[in-house]
Amino acid sequence: MSSLLSFLWRNYKCQYPSEVSKQNDAIRIGLLGASNIAPAAVIVPAKAHPEVIVAAVAARDHKRAQAYAKKYRIPIVHDSYQALLDDSAIDAVYIPLPPGHHYEWAIKALEAGKHVLLEKPSVSNGEEAAKLFRSPLLSKPDSPVLVEAFHYRFYPAWQKLLSLIDPGNIVEAHSASYLPKGIIPLYDIRCQYKLSGGCLMDLDLDDERALKILTSTGTYNVSILRQVFGTEPEECLEASYRGMPPGYDKEIDQAFIAKWRFPNGGIGSMDADMIADGGYSIPMMHEFPRIQLPKLEIKHREVVVDEDTLPSGQEHALQKTVIFWNYLLPHIYHRIDIVEKRTIRSTPSADGRVFKSWTETSYVKEYSKKDGPESITTYSAQLEDFVNKIRKRPVFEWVGLEDSVKQMEMIDGAYKKAGLPIRPSKAGG
């Protein structure tokens, strides 16, 4: 009962944090677009941060922007994205537009001297990523801050996961995530090639819907594999996709499977589907929407453990597997399983006979930073470090500029391997 009450209270506080008074020099953020993700990503976390004010919004549909501002108590509605960027009272912007528009408006924001929190995927392809993240606008000591919003990385549970693995000793890592069929309509912006849509590119939901399905998929899978191995892959070994039904955009992937080889010889793989069904043992449910927590499974090579108490000619072998359930929205719920398969056997130079074998399983949850509250979300943790970076204070986690370039290059490589075109570039325009 106490666990249930803790779960309910934590999620209530995440959704409805206590509002705090604002500092006189609070960072004033403007929203480009009246998006579904902004409330979870910025608006709600800002309520509990004394140094952040969501001050303005602009959208292509001005009436929508006005209704959005009224709903979320945003004081200023600008007539256009450019008008918001021209507002000298705005210090930073959040860009959750379709990926095909990210490059254009991120560059314009930097030119206007605004700090930028940029939704993932950062841009449409590797070419745009190189132009944006290596821009001279970012090379000066007083340059604006630009960061790609991989919010899961800022949460303590993800950092805990990284502390439990040995990247150089990983033999296999697999990331699987599915969005149930029926959540994303086939005409959605994520299903339009000209807007740089596709399952491998992006799929993100606001927390209100995510609370109902506890799942998501997209470019996260690529980011997670790069994080787990701690480096870039040497080669994309395999990539395949399931396309859209007849009559819809034939260059869009609604599901994607890929496999990479990393420098340590380990294999990283992913399975993502933004219109998923099946996965059930009951035949009549094979076409039902698939509901499954995002799952990351990391298998290590077997190692020999130092143990002085063993008789001569015997050794203690350990093979560890770490499983992270719901790595994308861990503030709602998560669990990290540590499975250790142990064997006492004679050494290979002898007969290799097994004397004893057993499995030890332990579970870890990490909902707060050291001495911090459990009511933080991945988004509030991200916003906190965005502010810290602007203020030139130490950060808990950060997504570097080159990191975002490598991310898009890995996505491009997978699309090419699958026989799909990379998403269209607007970097030249």
Side-chain angles (χ1 to χ4, degrees):
M1 178 61 73
S2 61
S3 295
L4 175 60
L5 291 176
S6 177
F7 168 81
L8 294 173
W9 178 247
R10 185 182 64 254
N11 279 283
Y12 174 82
K13 292 298 291 182
C14 285
Q15 293 295 311
Y16 305 101
S18 300
E19 296 193 37
V20 298
S21 58
K22 305 298 181 178
Q23 296 180 6
N24 291 333
D25 63 344
I27 295 167
R28 297 172 61 84
I29 293 181
L31 310 178
L32 295 192
S35 68
N36 289 328
I37 190 61
V42 176
I43 296 172
V44 172
K47 293 179 180 180
H49 201 302
E51 296 179 79
V52 179
I53 296 172
V54 178
V57 64
R60 288 174 297 173
D61 184 335
H62 190 67
K63 288 185 178 180
R64 172 175 165 80
Q66 288 178 318
Y68 192 87
K70 182 178 180 180
K71 179 178 181 179
Y72 294 109
R73 295 184 295 164
I74 301 172
I76 300 172
V77 179
H78 282 291
D79 291 334
S80 66
Y81 299 153
Q82 189 60 54
L84 188 150
L85 296 182
D86 291 339
D87 185 345
S88 61
I90 298 299
D91 305 302
V93 294
Y94 172 57
I95 303 179
L97 302 171
H101 296 306
H102 283 189
Y103 175 83
E104 175 187 2
W105 289 105
I107 282 289
K108 287 181 177 180
L110 294 174
E111 289 174 341
K114 312 300 185 186
H115 305 290
V116 179
L117 179 58
L118 180 62
E119 266 304 338
K120 92 299 293 175
S122 60
V123 287
S124 297
N125 54 57
E127 177 193 357
E128 285 191 349
K131 287 179 178 291
L132 175 60
F133 292 100
R134 294 170 184 165
S135 169
L137 295 168
L138 299 168
S139 63
K140 300 176 182 179
D142 59 346
S143 293
V145 169
L146 169 64
V147 66
E148 186 174 10
F150 275 113
H151 56 97
Y152 78 93
R153 288 178 50 173
F154 296 83
Y155 199 71
W158 182 255
Q159 298 305 315
K160 182 65 176 180
L161 178 279
L162 295 181
S163 76
L164 296 171
I165 63 175
D166 177 7
N169 200 37
I170 294 172
V171 66
E172 181 182 331
H174 181 70
S175 174
S177 49
Y178 310 96
L179 191 66
K181 178 176 65 176
I183 300 295
I184 296 296
L186 296 179
Y187 54 81
D188 188 83
I189 60 172
R190 297 167 182 85
C191 300
Q192 298 180 36
Y193 176 73
K194 66 180 181 180
L195 294 178
S196 299
C199 178
L200 184 60
M201 284 293 285
D202 181 41
L203 187 49
D204 206 355
L205 295 175
D206 58 279
D207 265 15
E208 182 179 348
R209 284 185 289 170
L211 276 166
K212 299 175 183 176
I213 58 176
L214 279 176
T215 187
S216 186
T217 183
T219 189
Y220 292 100
N221 299 88
V222 172
S223 173
I224 281 162
L225 292 177
R226 296 176 56 245
Q227 278 273 290
V228 166
F229 281 96
T231 187
E232 308 305 324
E234 293 181 329
E235 181 184 3
C236 182
L237 301 173
E238 303 173 14
S240 60
Y241 71 99
R242 185 182 75 244
M244 298 289 286
Y248 292 91
D249 201 325
K250 64 181 181 180
E251 295 173 321
I252 285 292
D253 48 306
Q254 61 174 326
F256 205 94
I257 298 173
K259 184 181 293 184
W260 293 266
R261 183 182 65 249
F262 284 81
N264 71 340
I267 302 298
S269 59
M270 61 160 282
D271 182 357
D273 194 333
M274 65 180 182
I275 309 177
D277 59 13
Y280 303 101
S281 58
I282 303 174
M284 67 177 62
M285 296 182 66
H286 284 176
E287 294 187 3
F288 277 43
R290 183 169 184 170
I291 299 176
Q292 179 179 316
L293 287 175
K295 180 183 178 183
L296 170 63
E297 185 166 354
I298 304 163
K299 296 182 179 179
H300 293 78
R301 293 184 178 89
E302 185 181 77
V303 296
V304 175
V305 180
D306 290 333
E307 190 166 333
D308 297 335
T309 60
L310 289 176
S312 176
Q314 292 185 17
E315 64 183 14
H316 181 175
L318 166 66
Q319 192 275 317
K320 182 167 75 170
T321 298
V322 181
I323 303 170
F324 196 158
W325 297 95
N326 197 28
Y327 50 79
L328 293 183
L329 292 173
H331 55 273
I332 296 175
Y333 168 81
H334 71 270
R335 193 182 76 200
I336 301 174
D337 302 352
I338 306 166
V339 183
E340 296 181 332
K341 295 182 178 180
R342 296 178 177 272
T343 304
I344 304 297
R345 67 193 180 199
S346 58
T347 59
S349 60
D351 57 9
R353 183 159 49 104
V354 174
F355 299 103
K356 180 183 179 181
S357 64
W358 71 100
T359 299
E360 297 176 355
T361 303
S362 57
Y363 306 99
V364 175
K365 296 176 183 178
E366 195 83 7
Y367 286 107
S368 63
K369 298 178 183 179
K370 185 178 180 180
D371 300 323
E374 285 196 347
S375 57
I376 64 169
T377 68
T378 55
Y379 300 109
S380 62
Q382 174 181 258
L383 184 63
E384 180 180 0
D385 272 348
F386 183 54
V387 172
N388 287 338
K389 198 72 170 182
I390 292 172
R391 301 294 198 200
K392 301 187 185 302
R393 298 192 294 246
V395 295
F396 178 75
E397 170 64 358
W398 196 247
V399 183
L401 302 177
E402 282 301 310
D403 194 331
S404 292
V405 176
K406 297 300 182 184
Q407 171 76 9
M408 289 311 306
E409 290 177 346
M410 188 167 166
I411 289 174
D412 284 359
Y415 271 133
K416 291 176 182 177
K417 188 71 174 182
L420 280 172
I422 62 173
R423 308 298 91 170
S425 180
K426 296 182 179 180

